Every structure is written in structure tokens, then in C-alpha cells.
Amino acid sequence: MTVEITNPATGLVTYRHELLTAADVEQRLAAAATAFPLWAARSLQERGSVLRAIAAQLRARKDDLQQAMTSEMGKLKTEALAEVEKCAQACEYYADHAADYLKPQLIDTEAQRSYVRYEPIGCVFAVMPWNFPIWQVFRFLAPAFMAGNVAVLKHASNVPQCADLILAVCRDGGLPEGVFDVLHINNEQAAEVLRDKRVKAVTLTGSERAGRSIAANAGDQLKKCVMELGGSDAFVVLDDADLDKAVAAAVKSRFDNSGQTCIAAKRFIVVDAIADAFVEKFVAAAAQRVYGDPQDEKTTLAPMARADLREELHKQVQSSVDKGAKLLLGGEPVPGTHAGYPSTILDHVVPGMPAYEEELFGPVAAILRVRDEEEALQVANDTTFGLGGSVWSGDPVRGEAMAKRLECGAAFVNAIVKSDVRLPFGGSKRSGFGRELADHGIHEFMNIKTVYVA
């Protein structure tokens, strides 16, 4: 079956690929099973050398990777190039630090010798999203490769060229045949892959709906899974915040990547005492985001990834306005575009509106006004999601005290929420479970074995 990929900026078909047959999938899974013991037997130094070579390949092919991201999901050229560099740095980070993360941990017991060792588990199935089509994959691959695991990837259906380029980069970097492969398959085939006995675990970054399905399938097979799902991050602005800094961060966190980021600030919870001043500055700054050709470095707002996603977002905006939200900016699809949506701000958002209850996965900000700090905390935690959150205060001690009370996987004070290879990343509540990055990420898909010698 041939699948055509449409450029979200132009509406034109830019890439075609074939879905794999059952025989194709079998060949790739068999190759992974064969490659695993050989790759796991290599030393950390050998695996690290390959990872550094992959980092070099990422930088050498950054223009190809950028163009693929831009043509497939509309990412700004500048953002795409930065994403490639972040992937290269992650590869180098794990090549440098895996030895420390994986060294045996001696435990003092009555035994002559007792310790914990980390062993790879085999083939991990990765189901990855389109919004950061290179970074999301390497966020998993870099630690998985250094751990000695092998992997197969089902990428999002609208970024197959990105998947093919990732495979080419890994192969050109010296990764042996079978250690990593791409599966261009549909959801039904993906369910079969997860059930295959050669697949030992699954990692998903995606929607809550996808998470429920894959986690249920993994649970039925008693296989380990890591779920990084949606988010509706709170951006809490207290009455002593530096408004200029908070507004600059708010615009970046909400509208970068056209707002299509799990950890983007989505709910701006502002104390009444400074709400009018914040909103005025926020609207003025957001209006400066210029929609245009994502290949043009002057463009500061990219198209959304697909026309259907724009339609869904617009329905959420319209419904919120119908229920009483005040539209301050944007709110209508960019005329004459395939998937363009402007910077949009909704004020006076309250419970019962989609902008309050649901994740807005696009360039739409929801402003929630509150009386004081305690109500701000209550509203921030009044969500089914728990990925990230930030607090803005002129007093870092005060900000940190609130950050500790946020129900989420990552709380930042006077900084936007971001993923950093040095820090564990993941959520709570319906934002998923498990962790990526740092030492936690490399340990997720390992057998943590106790050895006791009497």
C-alpha cells in the first residue's frame, strides 16, 4: 500500500512510501533477535564509539533532516536545526555517562559480596510522535543503544521520511544490521508487533488514547512499558513576578513549534492583582509572531502539522468562546493556507470550557484568572494531566515552595519547562508513567538484577 505525505504549508504531496507486508515485518524482527546478543556483548566503549559516530552523522546531514521535518510536519527551519543538534548532544552525553550509570552498585549485606547489576532486556518497540520527529526518537534510542538493547520503530504516519533518515544516519554511523530498524506499519500491525515474543517492551510518546491502547496491550502480554502522553501545563504568574520576563517566556513556551508540544505552557494562571498588566503585555508580544513559510528564517509561527488537527483545535476555540471565553487575539484559521492557525489568546477561561478541560495542541493560550496564590495552586492541579508546570515569582523561595506542590513530573521556577538529557523526563496522572533521559531513562529497559554471594 502506498502512502502519500502532504506538506502542511503547501498542501502538496512531498513524499511517498510503502507499508510493510507481514513478511517484511517478520524479517526485521528476526534480524533484531539475531543482532541483540551480539550488540549486548560489545563493550560500553565500543557502543559509545558508534553513538559518537551517529552524532557526527546527525550534524553532517542536518540540512536533510531539517528539510524532512519542515516538509512533513511544518517545523520552522531554525527549530528543526536546533532539534538535530540536541539529538547529537544526547548521543554524546550517553556515550560519556553510560559507564557511570551502568556500573554495578555494591550493597553492604551479610553476604561475602552482594551487588546490583544492569542487563539489557532485548528488543524494545518504540511508537513515536510527529511533533519532534527526530528528538523524540533519539531521546529513547541513545540510552537504549548504550544499554545494549536493540529497537524497532513505528514512527507517526505523517513523518516517514524522518524515520528513514534516522535509520540512514544510524547505519552510516556504524550501527550493525538489525540493532535498529524502521517499521512502516499501520496500527493493527503495530499491535501484532507488540504481541510478538521477541519484543520485550514498548515505549510510547503520544496521545492519551494511544497510551491506553498500547498500555493495555502491553499489560495483557506482561511487558514493560513507558508512557509519555499529553499535557496541559500550568504557567502560574504570582503577583510579584517580573512581568516582562514572564511574558517573553510565555510567548516562547506557548507558540514555539506552533504550540504543538506536550510540555508547552497551555494554561496561564494569573493572580488578579497583575492579570490586566500581564494580559496586555502577553497579547502585544504574541501578536508579533509572524505566520509564513517555515523555510523562511523570518517566519516565527509555523503551520500546524495537519489540516485535521487545525480543524479540531478551531472547534475547541469556538466552543470555549461560545461558553463565555473572551477572544483577545487570533481565533480564525489563516486564510488561504492548508494548516495555518494564528497566535490565539482566550481570556476568562473557566471550568466547563474545552480550553480549561482539554489539551489545546496548537497555538492557543488559555488565561485563567485567580484571586491569590492558594487558588492558583488549586487551579493548576485541577487537571487530569500532570506532565509539567512552571511558577513565576520575584522570590525564588516562594516560587520553589509552590513548585513542590504542583502535581506533575517536572516543575520549573522562573523558567519554561523543557526536556534536558541530564534530567529525568516524564509525567504523572494521565500524562503517563516511567521516565526518559538521565540515569532513569537508561535504567527503564534493563533487568535490574541482584547478585548475592554467600
Side-chain angles (χ1 to χ4, degrees):
M1 177 180 175
T2 301
V3 179
E4 295 183 337
I5 305 304
T6 301
N7 185 319
T10 65
L12 301 176
V13 174
T14 58
Y15 195 72
R16 293 178 175 86
H17 72 100
E18 300 290 329
L19 290 182
L20 299 183
T21 65
D24 295 328
V25 174
E26 167 59 29
Q27 183 273 324
R28 285 161 173 77
L29 291 178
T34 299
F36 168 59
L38 302 175
W39 180 246
R42 289 203 183 188
S43 68
L44 282 171
Q45 184 178 8
E46 290 176 304
R47 297 200 292 263
S49 295
V50 173
L51 217 56
R52 290 188 182 92
I54 291 173
Q57 286 295 318
L58 282 165
R59 294 187 175 105
R61 303 195 64 175
K62 63 181 180 181
D63 291 334
D64 293 339
L65 291 160
Q66 175 269 307
Q67 289 173 9
M69 283 187 272
T70 301
S71 67
E72 290 191 319
M73 55 77 54
K75 191 181 293 286
L76 295 181
K77 179 179 180 179
T78 51
E79 293 178 346
L81 290 172
E83 183 171 332
V84 176
E85 176 58 26
K86 187 173 184 177
C87 294
Q89 291 177 4
C91 291
E92 292 168 339
Y93 179 85
Y94 277 105
D96 291 341
H97 293 275
D100 286 336
Y101 291 160
L102 300 180
K103 65 184 179 183
Q105 294 184 346
L106 295 175
I107 308 295
D108 186 17
T109 69
E110 65 275 12
Q112 178 182 349
R113 179 175 169 82
S114 53
Y115 58 95
V116 174
R117 61 178 274 110
Y118 300 97
E119 299 175 348
I121 60 172
C123 182
V124 182
F125 183 32
V127 182
M128 293 290 115
W130 48 262
N131 57 333
F132 289 90
I134 308 298
W135 167 243
Q136 305 276 21
V137 176
F138 276 96
R139 192 168 75 183
F140 155 71
L141 281 185
F145 288 161
M146 283 305 298
N149 290 313
V150 300
V152 289
L153 166 69
K154 180 198 180 299
H155 217 328
S157 60
N158 59 327
V159 289
Q161 186 180 11
C162 289
D164 290 342
L165 284 171
I166 291 169
L167 179 59
V169 162
C170 290
R171 294 275 174 82
D172 292 346
L175 198 67
E177 190 86 17
V179 174
F180 172 61
D181 218 327
V182 169
L183 305 179
H184 291 304
I185 55 178
N186 59 31
N187 291 338
E188 291 74 20
Q189 290 173 298
E192 290 297 324
V193 170
L194 181 51
R195 285 192 285 269
D196 192 287
K197 65 181 181 180
R198 291 164 294 191
V199 170
K200 305 303 181 183
V202 61
T203 179
L204 165 77
T205 297
S207 68
E208 180 184 341
R209 182 177 63 179
R212 287 178 181 274
S213 174
I214 291 178
N217 198 350
D220 182 64
Q221 300 297 312
L222 295 178
K223 293 181 180 180
K224 176 70 180 290
C225 60
V226 168
M227 299 284 115
E228 197 272 274
L229 309 178
S232 188
D233 287 10
F235 186 105
V236 179
V237 186
L238 300 181
D239 54 14
D240 62 348
D242 183 322
L243 292 189
D244 289 334
K245 290 182 179 179
V247 165
V251 171
K252 179 175 177 59
S253 183
R254 176 67 288 211
F255 300 113
D256 276 8
N257 209 44
S258 197
Q260 300 167 126
T261 306
C262 294
I263 52 172
K266 298 188 176 82
R267 297 176 300 133
F268 295 83
I269 301 166
V270 190
V271 173
D272 281 334
I274 47 86
D276 287 342
F278 174 85
V279 169
E280 181 180 0
K281 289 175 179 287
F282 189 28
V283 171
Q288 300 304 308
R289 285 281 170 136
V290 179
Y291 177 84
D293 179 359
Q295 288 283 14
D296 186 344
E297 294 187 5
K298 295 179 182 178
T299 298
T300 52
L301 184 68
M304 293 185 65
R306 299 196 312 263
D308 63 301
L309 297 173
R310 179 179 72 170
E311 292 173 8
E312 181 180 345
L313 180 71
H314 187 51
K315 288 178 182 177
Q316 292 173 302
V317 170
Q318 287 181 312
S319 178
S320 297
V321 171
D322 290 344
K323 293 181 178 182
K326 185 176 180 181
L327 181 64
L328 303 183
L329 183 69
E332 291 291 340
V334 179
T337 66
H338 181 70
Y341 206 81
S343 302
T344 297
I345 297 178
L346 299 172
D347 197 1
H348 299 286
V349 172
V350 297
M353 299 176 181
Y356 187 100
E357 308 289 350
E358 302 170 7
E359 180 179 20
L360 301 177
F361 210 67
V364 179
I367 297 173
L368 291 63
R369 297 178 181 235
V370 294
R371 292 185 305 273
D372 53 27
E373 183 175 338
E374 281 305 309
E375 187 180 12
L377 179 67
Q378 183 272 320
V379 171
N381 289 335
D382 185 25
T383 174
T384 59
F385 296 105
L387 194 53
S390 63
V391 181
W392 298 81
S393 171
D395 180 356
V397 174
R398 180 188 184 193
E400 185 177 357
M402 174 172 275
K404 291 177 181 178
R405 300 170 70 190
L406 292 178
E407 298 170 354
C408 57
F412 284 53
V413 179
N414 294 332
I416 62 174
V417 179
K418 63 181 180 179
S419 60
D420 184 318
V421 70
R422 299 166 295 182
L423 299 170
F425 181 85
S428 62
K429 298 195 278 190
R430 292 187 179 180
S431 288
F433 48 82
R435 289 297 181 265
E436 296 180 295
L437 304 179
D439 57 336
H440 299 71
I442 202 169
H443 290 158
E444 281 285 4
F445 295 116
M446 304 202 79
N447 177 28
I448 302 174
K449 178 187 286 186
T450 294
V451 179
Y452 184 101
V453 182

